[in-house]
Amino acid sequence: MRSTAPRGKPAAMQCNICGGTAFTDMPKRPAVRCTDCGSLERTRVAALHIAEDLRPASGSHILHFAPERGLSVLLREIGGPNYRAVDIDPPRYPGLGVERFDLCEDVYDLPLDRYDLIVHNHVLEHLEGNYSAILLRLARSLSDTGTMLFSVPILPGGFTDELMVGTLDDKLQRFGPSLHVRRFGTETLQRTLGMLFPIPDSHDLRDRFDEALLARCNIPPHHWTNFTGATVFRLRKQDLRC
């Protein structure tokens, strides 16, 4: 329920993952990265869904792709030995016990009906394969009560998807250092992700979380009521359209 309390002096911002209170700039996004755990807007939104709403039980089976450092600590505390962190390039995540996993090659090796929580933030735009097939197979790996949380960059405009064969240098020249091979846009969201699972026409984080909580967790207001790169989608097996 949305808060109707009168506005007063805003509470001090604090990372809801590690408790840090200092934030540094990202390109065109001032003061959004937690200097302690490295969390970004999307990471803190995912943590809100996990801690304030989903509240997975201790020992839950959790699969975490491209694991953010702070979120990995949080999820490992919940899952214990049932937490699994994976990425195509494990050396990028020192100290997190990350296994190598290529979503385009290994996704069909995942067990069915296993995971209570699957998390991946800003991963789909990098995958050099059919992102729809990958999402569908990940959903089949969820338990009957499991949830997948994920986010992607969402920009004004339409959708592009461009895979290419070439060297890393070729791809860097084509796609830049971010190596995004696809672009999700607000105008085509219903005809891309929305064809896999229902997505409402509008998005408002305040339908789930109190406005004061969002502000305290340093979620800038423009992420509250727009589909953006900090929007975290929630997908269950029973949500699939096919």
Side-chain angles (χ1 to χ4, degrees):
M1 179 179 296
R2 298 183 192 175
S3 171
T4 58
R7 295 176 183 269
K9 182 178 179 180
M13 292 186 298
Q14 183 176 50
C15 176
N16 54 310
I17 297 174
C18 72
T21 56
F23 298 87
T24 191
D25 296 347
M26 292 290 288
K28 300 181 181 179
R29 290 150 56 201
V32 295
R33 180 185 286 278
C34 175
T35 59
D36 288 346
C37 74
S39 72
L40 296 169
E41 307 97 303
R42 61 184 182 255
T43 331
R44 295 190 291 275
V45 172
L48 282 176
H49 282 281
I50 293 165
E52 302 288 333
D53 201 353
L54 295 176
R55 300 180 182 179
S58 177
S60 292
H61 287 84
I62 300 172
L63 182 61
H64 189 187
F65 292 93
E68 303 91 339
R69 178 162 45 93
L71 197 56
S72 178
V73 172
L74 171 68
L75 294 176
R76 194 181 301 275
E77 289 177 352
I78 296 170
N82 295 327
Y83 169 76
R84 184 183 180 194
V86 297
D87 190 76
I88 195 170
D89 187 15
R92 293 179 58 198
Y93 307 90
L96 295 184
V98 177
E99 307 170 34
R100 189 182 188 282
F101 193 98
D102 185 334
L103 266 167
C104 296
E105 296 181 0
D106 303 327
V107 68
Y108 291 103
D109 295 332
L110 289 173
L112 299 175
D113 309 315
R114 166 67 62 84
Y115 295 102
D116 303 301
L117 180 63
I118 296 176
V119 179
H120 52 95
N121 287 304
H122 286 227
V123 170
L124 294 183
E125 68 273 17
H126 298 282
L127 300 180
E128 298 184 72
N130 187 313
Y131 82 90
S132 297
I134 290 168
L135 267 182
L136 291 173
R137 183 57 180 81
L138 287 176
R140 293 185 63 202
S141 296
L142 290 169
S143 66
D144 289 341
T145 57
T147 300
M148 186 188 326
L149 297 179
F150 74 94
S151 61
V152 294
I154 301 176
L155 302 169
F159 174 84
T160 60
D161 188 283
E162 185 177 0
L163 306 183
M164 66 172 286
V165 176
T167 66
L168 176 59
D169 286 341
D170 294 333
K171 294 172 183 178
L172 286 169
Q173 184 175 357
R174 180 69 173 179
F175 304 119
S178 64
L179 289 177
H180 289 185
V181 301
R182 61 184 50 86
R183 175 192 193 278
F184 292 90
T186 53
E187 294 180 10
T188 53
L189 202 56
Q190 295 296 348
R191 297 180 66 84
T192 52
L193 294 173
M195 294 187 71
L196 300 175
F197 61 96
I199 295 176
D201 291 329
S202 61
H203 168 70
D204 195 328
L205 264 178
R206 296 171 300 176
D207 291 337
R208 288 189 181 273
F209 307 113
D210 183 82
E211 187 173 300
L213 176 62
L214 294 171
R216 186 167 66 250
C217 296
N218 193 15
I219 313 298
H222 69 272
H223 290 305
W224 300 356
T225 57
N226 301 289
F227 286 107
T228 71
T231 300
V232 174
F233 296 100
R234 297 164 53 131
L235 174 61
R236 302 167 301 166
K237 281 195 299 188
Q238 55 266 43
D239 296 327
L240 294 174
R241 291 190 183 276
C242 54

